[in-house]
Amino acid sequence: AAYIALHNGRPVTFLDTPGHEAFKALRTRGAAAADIAILVVASDEGVMPQTLDALAAITEANIPYIVAITKIDKNNADVDHAKNSLVEHGIYIEGMGGDVAYALVSSKTGEGIPELLDLVLLAADLAEITADPALNATGFVLESTQDPKRGASATLIVKDGTLTLDGFVVAGDAYAPIRFIEDFLGKRVEHAGPSEPARISGFSKLPAAGSLFSIVKTKKDAEALAKTNAKELAATPERSAAVEGVAELPLIVKADVAGSVDAIIHELTKITQERAVVRVVASGVGSVSENDVKTAHASGAVIIAFNVGTDAVARDLAERDAVAIESFSIIYE
């Protein structure tokens, strides 16, 4: 999710990435898109494996970060334990041998949130982050989803320049005319400037989450750039063939948003058996379609559906062809 908070008359855009280990790819994308990171550590737990995973993403992105020690309102909160846990893992906060700023916060009561926002703005000023609103917009695709009414849609984070109601946005091998721009509240706006999230609909296909976007003037230019990008994507080496004597479980993964697809595939790659291997035949965003069932039938695959339904035609076809469709709503199940 992406949203804007106002503090002392200054807007701060937050990219909220899930903490579960499965969302490693989403956290890595978030760190790459961000200017400043907030490393969240619960006061009742201290540093967890995913905390170190998030820190690795922050370090790789080479951006400044602040620690937020949360849940201080809980009866079992132990701030001293959380601080010691940070230091034990090489995160040297202020007052404990280092210069990493931190804030003690409660999401429930709001305590410490103004202080956290003060630290974010201070970090931004120290980093001297700049952008030129006069340029054409460039940035990242934060998330993409298949909207039943609007088709392929994406949330973009503008890193530089200004997104206006003009031209076409190209992200990887997908493109869309900029007919309308929605802000993080779903309200239509005429432009989106540096660091602002913007939702664009009507893409030629679902843009990959994490891909860079740019703006071109005409549909012809958009098609040409998308075609060039498609060739580069096609050059990525495919996975090697199955090993002889090892059973294969072919799967088709469908989910509500691209980040969920990434997380599910990430979890599936951790399943290891000597005599069996999981193979993802296809994956995508949106409800289970007739084409998914046909692909599953042809490849002997099971369809995994996460937070999405199944089209009526697809359901009838699945019953006729005995294609299994397994539905889930919790990522690590």
Side-chain angles (χ1 to χ4, degrees):
Y3 48 89
I4 294 175
L6 278 172
H7 185 61
N8 295 340
R10 295 172 67 182
V12 181
T13 298
F14 282 86
L15 308 182
D16 186 10
T17 59
H20 190 268
E21 192 272 338
F23 287 94
K24 182 175 180 178
L26 229 173
R27 279 196 297 279
T28 302
R29 279 203 296 274
D35 299 304
I36 297 159
I38 298 175
L39 187 66
V40 179
V41 178
S43 59
D44 59 341
E45 291 179 329
V47 172
M48 302 292 282
Q50 58 264 37
T51 313
L52 300 176
D53 182 50
L55 182 61
I58 293 165
T59 304
E60 189 178 336
N62 195 27
I63 56 174
Y65 72 99
I66 297 155
V67 171
I69 298 175
T70 62
K71 301 183 182 179
I72 60 170
D73 56 276
K74 291 186 74 172
N75 292 332
N76 62 336
D78 189 341
V79 171
D80 287 336
H81 164 71
K83 288 181 178 180
N84 289 326
S85 176
L86 286 160
V87 173
E88 284 167 12
H89 288 87
I91 303 167
Y92 298 106
I93 57 176
E94 288 177 344
M96 297 190 73
D99 58 2
V100 177
Y102 71 92
L104 306 178
V105 302
S106 165
S107 304
K108 196 171 183 180
T109 68
E111 183 183 350
I113 300 297
E115 288 79 4
L116 178 64
L117 290 169
D118 283 338
L119 290 175
V120 170
L121 292 175
L122 178 61
D125 291 339
L126 289 172
E128 296 182 344
I129 300 158
T130 59
D132 184 355
L135 299 174
N136 276 335
T138 54
F140 289 80
V141 174
L142 180 68
E143 191 56 279
S144 56
T145 184
Q146 193 74 33
D147 190 292
K149 292 178 181 176
R150 298 178 180 175
S153 304
T155 299
L156 312 178
I157 300 293
V158 178
K159 287 289 284 181
D160 204 0
T162 300
L163 188 69
T164 60
L165 293 166
D166 184 36
F168 288 73
V169 58
V170 182
D173 58 349
Y175 67 89
I178 308 171
R179 294 196 180 99
F180 59 87
I181 302 167
E182 291 178 324
D183 66 9
F184 72 103
L185 295 171
K187 179 183 166 188
R188 292 200 178 189
V189 292
E190 292 187 2
H191 52 78
S195 294
E196 291 185 4
R199 190 158 183 81
I200 300 291
S201 300
F203 278 90
S204 54
K205 62 184 293 187
L206 208 67
S211 57
L212 301 174
F213 78 82
S214 57
I215 306 299
V216 295
K217 287 187 175 181
T218 67
K219 185 177 181 180
K220 188 177 178 181
D221 292 338
E223 288 174 337
L225 182 54
K227 193 174 180 180
T228 301
N229 292 343
K231 286 179 182 176
E232 289 178 8
L233 291 167
T236 306
E238 297 226 352
R239 198 174 151 171
S240 58
V243 178
E244 190 178 344
V246 175
E248 201 175 62
L249 173 61
L251 294 176
I252 292 173
V253 178
K254 295 301 291 282
D256 50 351
V257 293
S260 295
V261 174
D262 288 346
I264 292 161
I265 292 173
H266 173 77
E267 289 291 279
L268 291 170
T269 57
K270 296 192 297 187
I271 299 171
T272 54
Q273 294 285 339
E274 283 184 19
R275 310 304 298 166
V277 64
V278 171
R279 180 170 67 94
V280 179
V281 175
S283 62
V285 171
S287 58
V288 177
S289 67
E290 181 184 3
N291 189 52
D292 293 325
V293 175
K294 286 178 179 176
T295 303
H297 183 59
S299 59
V302 173
I303 298 173
I304 301 292
F306 177 75
N307 265 354
V308 291
T310 302
D311 296 347
V313 175
R315 191 180 296 108
D316 292 344
L317 188 62
E319 285 180 11
R320 192 191 76 190
D321 292 344
V323 170
I325 302 173
E326 303 289 345
S327 298
F328 301 91
S329 60
I330 299 174
I331 203 79
Y332 42 83
E333 288 185 354

